[in-house]
Amino acid sequence: MNAPVRHRLLQLGPLPPDLQRRAAEQYVLEPLWTQPAPADFLAAQHGAFDGAIMMSRHGCQAPVIACLGAAPRPGVVACFGVGYDGIDLAAARRHGVQVSTTPDVLTDCVADTALGLMLACARQLVAADRHVQSGAWLQGPFPLATRVSGKRVGIVGLGRIGQAIARRAQGFDMPVRYHARSARPGVAYPFVARLGELADWADFLVLACPGGPQTRHLVSAAVLEALGPDGYLINIARGSVVDEDALVAAIRAGRIAGAGLDVYADEPRVPAGLLGNDRVVTLPHVAASTRETRRAMEQLVLDNLAAFFATGKVLTPPC
Ligand code: NAP
């Protein structure tokens, strides 16, 4: 009996160790990012791959997609992560290449992190911890912080994660309103068409929309001005959504109360103006990084690949 065909996958960057191991058991993986001349490699291997495997942060541009599209059966891009802002979806459509992401399985952990950042910022949990750890408590009490329960939450992007944040906020008796490109049918939270108006209303402006050109610098100096000196910005979406220069200026001048950030425009580099300031809580893009969620994301990447090779269709395309 013939051995089953092992499909060839382009690997666009380093993968989590378990996913790397499991994918390598099932597929022939060819690393692209370690090639001395990736463009020449793609040209020489045009049409020779059945798919690509990647993480959101690796990005997948038109040359990779053209290479996959040139195969006898246009291939698949299986992405670990729900953010597809780095994937050229228009090129994928043009070349008949399918794309999958890992929605839903990470929603709870990302929403949990948003609430964690709200509490960390307003209640000054990180600075309060340092107060104890450094022995400063022996010299005097920690300053008063800001209440979270009952405050107003404005969510930008009421998709899977935005709705999970809204449900959690309701547990804290927080009124919720949201902004998106259009009102979501069947949703009870009030829709606010103008982002500036939502920022003006909110105590916490929480970003849960996609990154990419359409949302670049959606949170501008004017939006931060509207959020105001008692308002907090929480970003678990993408760094590109915020004008970081404007954010640094707003924090420095006290035009907003503080910020809780998981994502940045140029990771892992974080603007100096966001460091060393108790009013800013910075996480290293870990909103989905729990063992349980990572495992579920890995499984979904493999399930998408298996479904594509068995049926010609991925299970969870981006939109
Ligand atoms: P989703 O279900 O697709 O929801 C995205 C929401 O954003 C939609 O409701 C959409 O509503 C809204 N939106 C799209 N374009 C917009 C715009 N220009 N202005 C305002 N709202 C806009 O996606 P999800 O699963 O909730 O994930 C949301 C994002 O979270 C991802 O794209 C990713 O970037 C980020 N994320 C971050 C982490 C992390 O580790 N920090 C982990 C997972 C996801 P309309 O279509 O009506 O505008």
Side-chain angles (χ1 to χ4, degrees):
M1 206 169 77
N2 290 337
V5 180
R6 294 225 303 161
H7 296 288
R8 291 186 79 207
L9 300 183
L10 260 176
Q11 183 182 336
L12 304 189
L15 298 171
D18 277 354
L19 181 58
Q20 178 79 47
R21 181 182 50 75
R22 294 176 68 194
E25 283 167 8
Q26 298 177 43
Y27 302 102
V28 177
L29 302 182
E30 291 275 4
L32 179 64
W33 83 103
T34 52
Q35 296 296 332
D40 295 347
F41 177 80
L42 284 177
Q45 300 276 330
H46 206 59
F49 290 101
D50 304 297
I53 186 165
M54 61 175 288
M55 296 177 75
S56 292
R57 65 185 160 82
H58 300 149
C60 182
Q61 303 309 319
V64 170
I65 287 169
C67 174
L68 299 178
R73 173 170 80 169
V76 60
V77 176
C79 177
F80 176 97
V82 76
Y84 50 83
D85 42 304
I87 304 175
D88 190 336
L89 290 183
R93 272 192 292 276
R94 268 199 317 279
H95 289 279
V97 167
Q98 289 197 38
V99 176
S100 69
T101 62
T102 57
D104 298 316
V105 293
L106 44 63
T107 294
D108 283 338
C109 279
V110 179
D112 293 350
T113 304
L115 269 290
L117 282 170
M118 287 161 63
L119 288 162
C121 283
R123 298 299 306 270
Q124 290 278 289
L125 298 182
V126 181
D129 172 69
R130 277 198 294 269
H131 192 74
V132 178
Q133 298 274 339
S134 68
W137 196 14
L138 298 168
Q139 271 71 58
F142 189 71
L144 297 181
T146 301
R147 180 184 163 98
V148 172
S149 285
K151 293 288 173 66
R152 294 183 291 238
V153 181
I155 299 176
V156 182
L158 198 73
R160 291 168 291 241
I161 294 171
Q163 289 179 64
I165 294 169
R167 286 194 297 275
R168 283 157 176 73
Q170 289 196 305
F172 284 78
D173 299 323
M174 303 173 95
V176 171
R177 296 184 186 179
Y178 74 101
H179 167 81
R181 289 170 300 184
S182 54
R184 208 178 175 88
V187 159
Y189 313 112
F191 170 72
V192 182
R194 281 189 49 251
L195 176 55
E197 194 182 313
L198 183 71
D200 190 34
W201 173 82
D203 298 303
F204 293 91
L205 188 67
V206 185
L207 310 183
C209 59
Q214 285 206 343
T215 55
R216 189 173 180 276
H217 291 190
L218 201 60
V219 176
S220 60
V223 169
L224 295 168
E225 188 80 37
L227 184 56
D230 296 325
Y232 294 88
L233 178 73
I234 306 297
N235 189 6
I236 50 79
R238 284 287 181 264
S240 59
V241 181
V242 177
D243 178 343
E244 285 182 340
D245 290 341
L247 176 60
V248 167
I251 290 281
R252 280 207 177 118
R255 282 196 291 275
I256 66 170
L261 310 169
D262 184 48
V263 287
Y264 312 87
D266 185 23
E267 297 173 8
R269 281 160 289 275
V270 176
L274 298 176
L275 302 176
N277 185 331
D278 283 350
R279 293 192 294 120
V280 184
V281 175
T282 49
L283 302 183
H285 201 148
V286 291
S289 301
T290 62
R291 282 182 291 278
E292 296 88 339
T293 286
R294 284 297 187 111
R295 215 175 295 127
M297 292 167 70
E298 288 170 10
Q299 188 60 50
L300 192 47
V301 170
L302 296 172
D303 289 349
N304 268 299
L305 285 167
F308 175 78
F309 292 123
T311 70
K313 288 250 175 288
V314 297
L315 303 172
T316 50
C319 28

